[in-house]
Amino acid sequence: GMQSHLQALLSLYKLFCPDQVTITLPGKMKTYFKNSEGPWKAAITAVRQRNQGTSPLSQAVFLGTSQPQSRKRKWNAQLVIPASSANTNHLEEDREKNWFYLYSPNESFPVEQLQTFPQLLQNIHRLEFPSQMGSVLTNPLLLHYMNCVKDESIYLRLYYWMGQRLQEECTWCVVDNPYEEEFKSFLETAYKAECFLQEGFSACEEFLYKTLPLWDGICCRSEILRLVSWIPLSSFSDIKPYLFDPLAQLFFTSSIYFKCSVLESLKELLQNWLNCNVIQMDLEISS
């Protein structure tokens, strides 16, 4: 039968290769690979730090929210989106060959050599996506490819990668996270990719629904409100408790500038919904 440590290992496999793990895994299971604490404890700690001004370290230890430095931070002190990279064997071979080497029809085309839009058109059926899906966010040609191909496995890989990254780097859900500027830059990159694709990422939508109730309306304000403008269209009853209720609480207790920022974000959200609806109607009429 399914044992808890095997489920945790399969969930880790599913994070990197979701198309290879076809079984359904439980949503809640014991964590084996990360010492994670509830975001509510982190929120309480942040409030006590602001109101009492006592030692952040002592409060974190008292509440059980102190976290050891992650392995990622130990070896890499910055939040960096990986560069586009495909199979390393391809890369080494291509360095020894001429840059304009013609590949056979059955051979995949490495993304390292993809530099122009005509190259994308000529090799669109032989393109090999990079092993690290985060690099897609900063590559317009690969975003074009995502828009054209609509491969579910691509979106799944990006969904799991972004979901984990957003959860680990959220500055108001992790105690004493000193990397706010890096997190801002990451949110801005995700927003620009959404604008390019003209649709929001499901990982960003889930992130907003989970963290907006804990958000203070100050940290990463402009980046968060920009992501709000790309939440996919759904029924009001589904969105209200996760989006409008948390924003309403902040709206009535914040400055005029924040109120205007929220209204601007909701206006852009409505415009995006209308544009998506018009496109969908055009597709139905043409079909």
Side-chain angles (χ1 to χ4, degrees):
M2 291 295 293
Q3 301 180 23
S4 59
H5 57 277
L6 293 179
Q7 290 180 348
L9 187 60
L10 285 172
S11 67
L12 189 64
Y13 290 157
K14 193 168 185 177
L15 177 66
F16 295 99
C17 298
D19 55 321
Q20 299 296 322
V21 182
T22 58
I23 64 174
T24 302
L25 297 174
K28 295 183 179 180
M29 64 180 70
K30 183 177 179 181
T31 302
Y32 282 84
F33 300 103
K34 181 186 175 185
N35 181 22
S36 60
E37 297 289 347
W40 278 111
K41 288 186 177 182
I44 292 173
T45 302
V47 171
R48 289 187 175 181
Q49 290 176 11
R50 290 197 301 266
N51 294 342
Q52 299 177 3
T54 56
S55 171
L57 178 61
S58 62
Q59 290 183 5
V61 173
F62 175 75
L63 292 175
T65 55
S66 59
Q67 299 180 355
Q69 192 176 33
S70 66
R71 181 179 296 271
K72 176 174 68 62
R73 290 300 182 197
K74 181 178 180 181
W75 297 105
N76 180 14
Q78 293 182 343
L79 171 59
V80 178
I81 296 178
S84 299
S85 60
N87 191 299
T88 54
N89 294 331
H90 273 311
L91 182 58
E92 294 300 327
E93 292 173 2
D94 296 335
R95 286 174 178 172
E96 299 174 0
K97 298 177 182 179
N98 188 284
W99 185 262
F100 298 100
Y101 175 82
L102 297 178
Y103 285 81
S104 63
N106 296 326
E107 189 174 358
S108 60
F109 186 84
V111 293
E112 286 83 4
Q113 296 193 14
L114 184 64
Q115 293 189 336
T116 64
F117 193 75
Q119 280 183 322
L120 174 64
L121 296 180
Q122 294 171 5
N123 301 280
I124 194 167
H125 298 298
R126 300 187 290 113
L127 192 64
E128 178 185 3
F129 254 92
S131 57
Q132 294 177 299
M133 286 301 296
S135 60
V136 174
L137 297 177
T138 56
N139 191 316
L141 294 175
L142 294 181
L143 290 175
H144 272 303
Y145 180 71
M146 282 185 60
N147 241 349
C148 296
V149 175
K150 299 296 183 184
D151 187 348
E152 184 179 357
S153 64
I154 296 174
Y155 284 90
L156 279 174
R157 288 177 60 193
L158 191 59
Y159 164 76
Y160 283 113
W161 181 85
M162 287 188 66
Q164 184 183 32
R165 182 69 67 186
L166 289 167
Q167 180 181 355
E168 291 181 352
E169 304 296 338
C170 181
T171 53
W172 59 90
C173 291
V174 178
V175 177
D176 298 335
N177 190 335
Y179 302 99
E180 180 176 346
E181 291 302 321
E182 297 177 18
F183 187 57
K184 281 184 178 181
S185 176
F186 179 67
L187 295 180
E188 183 68 21
T189 300
Y191 168 73
K192 290 179 179 179
E194 290 181 332
C195 292
F196 188 95
L197 296 171
Q198 290 295 291
E199 63 177 330
F201 293 114
S202 55
C204 292
E205 180 187 14
E206 290 187 7
F207 165 73
L208 291 173
Y209 288 163
K210 290 179 181 178
T211 59
L212 279 179
L214 307 174
W215 186 44
D216 59 4
I218 300 175
C219 182
C220 306
R221 175 190 296 166
S222 59
E223 291 78 14
I224 290 297
L225 292 180
R226 287 173 182 171
L227 291 180
V228 166
S229 65
W230 279 110
I231 289 179
L233 176 62
S234 57
S235 64
F236 179 77
S237 59
D238 293 337
I239 294 180
K240 182 179 183 298
Y242 301 106
L243 175 64
F244 296 125
D245 288 349
L247 288 179
Q249 293 180 4
L250 294 170
F251 185 88
F252 292 115
T253 58
S254 300
S255 63
I256 294 294
Y257 178 80
F258 181 83
K259 290 180 171 65
C260 294
S261 300
V262 171
L263 292 177
E264 177 69 18
S265 176
L266 295 180
K267 184 198 76 172
E268 294 177 357
L269 175 63
L270 180 59
Q271 289 177 341
N272 292 332
W273 283 354
L274 291 174
N275 291 333
C276 292
N277 191 41
V278 169
I279 294 174
Q280 184 65 30
M281 290 178 60
D282 291 343
L283 292 175
E284 293 176 357
I285 293 174
S286 61
S287 60

